[in-house]
Amino acid sequence: MKEQILERSDRIRMFISEYYFGYSWWMTCLRIFGGPMVLAMGIYLYDSNERFAIAYGGFCFLYGLYYSLKPLFWIVFRLDAFKTVPLRIDIHGDNLRIKDPLAESVVDLRGVRILKRKEYFTLELAKFTKVYLPFKILTPDQMASIESITGKSS
C-alpha cells in the first residue's frame, strides 16, 4: 500500500461535481437553474408598486442569491471537511481498504453500487453514504480491479 495524497482542490472539485450532477436530472436542473430563476423573480417582484410584492421580491432575491451560492458557502464554512489528507488504498479481491491518519475502513465491494464519473469513482455504500476515489490517486491495477467489480455488479 503506497500512500497517496488527496488534495483539497480535488475534494472540492468532486464535491461541486456531485452537488450539481450526482443526482437525478430533475435535481441537476433545479440546482443549476433554480437559484437564478428565483433571483430573477425577486427582481421582477421588487419592481412592483405593491408592498407585499416588494417584500416577497426582496425575500426571493435573497433566497435566490443564497441558493445560487450555496455550494460556495458550504466550501467556505466547512473548509475543514476539504482538507488535504494522505490515504492508503489497497484492493484485495472484492475488498477495498482505505486508511487515513484517523481511521481505517474495509469495504466489501460486492454489495456496493459503483459509478464511474469523469475523474473519479463514486462508491455508494448506503443511501446517503458515499466514498469518492479520484482516478489520479489510484494505480492502474486498482482501477482495473474496481472496473472489473463494476462490470460484475451491473
Side-chain angles (χ1 to χ4, degrees):
M1 271 196 294
K2 183 181 175 206
E3 190 169 279
Q4 298 288 336
I5 303 295
L6 183 55
E7 298 288 336
R8 175 178 290 195
S9 60
D10 294 330
R11 294 181 78 175
I12 290 172
R13 193 175 309 114
M14 287 186 294
F15 165 73
I16 289 173
S17 177
E18 283 296 308
Y19 179 81
Y20 286 110
F21 306 108
Y23 298 94
S24 66
W25 68 270
W26 169 249
M27 188 59 74
T28 296
C29 290
L30 184 65
R31 288 187 170 171
I32 291 174
F33 302 115
M37 286 176 59
V38 172
L39 188 78
M41 186 173 70
I43 292 170
Y44 174 76
L45 289 173
Y46 193 78
D47 216 16
S48 174
N49 290 333
E50 296 180 37
R51 285 177 57 140
F52 176 76
I54 292 171
Y56 192 66
F59 170 77
C60 287
F61 178 82
L62 292 176
Y63 186 75
L65 189 62
Y66 161 76
Y67 200 76
S68 296
L69 299 176
K70 187 175 176 182
L72 179 65
F73 290 148
W74 278 9
I75 292 167
V76 169
F77 293 119
R78 297 178 182 176
L79 206 52
D80 282 350
F82 299 101
K83 291 188 292 194
T84 296
V85 293
L87 289 177
R88 291 178 187 254
I89 298 173
D90 193 23
I91 300 174
H92 288 295
D94 289 340
N95 290 327
L96 169 69
R97 180 181 306 256
I98 302 173
K99 181 174 173 38
D100 67 14
L102 299 176
E104 182 173 343
S105 300
V106 178
V107 177
D108 183 8
L109 295 175
R110 287 177 291 199
V112 174
R113 184 173 170 214
I114 302 172
L115 302 170
K116 186 174 182 181
R117 306 286 192 203
K118 186 176 178 182
E119 297 179 3
Y120 56 93
F121 286 109
T122 301
L123 311 176
E124 292 185 6
L125 305 179
K127 186 167 180 134
F128 295 108
T129 306
K130 296 180 181 180
V131 174
Y132 307 103
L133 297 173
F135 297 155
K136 68 190 241 180
I137 68 167
L138 297 172
T139 65
D141 291 338
Q142 291 170 335
M143 295 235 342
S145 294
I146 293 174
E147 287 177 346
S148 71
I149 294 167
T150 304
K152 289 181 202 172
S153 65
S154 49

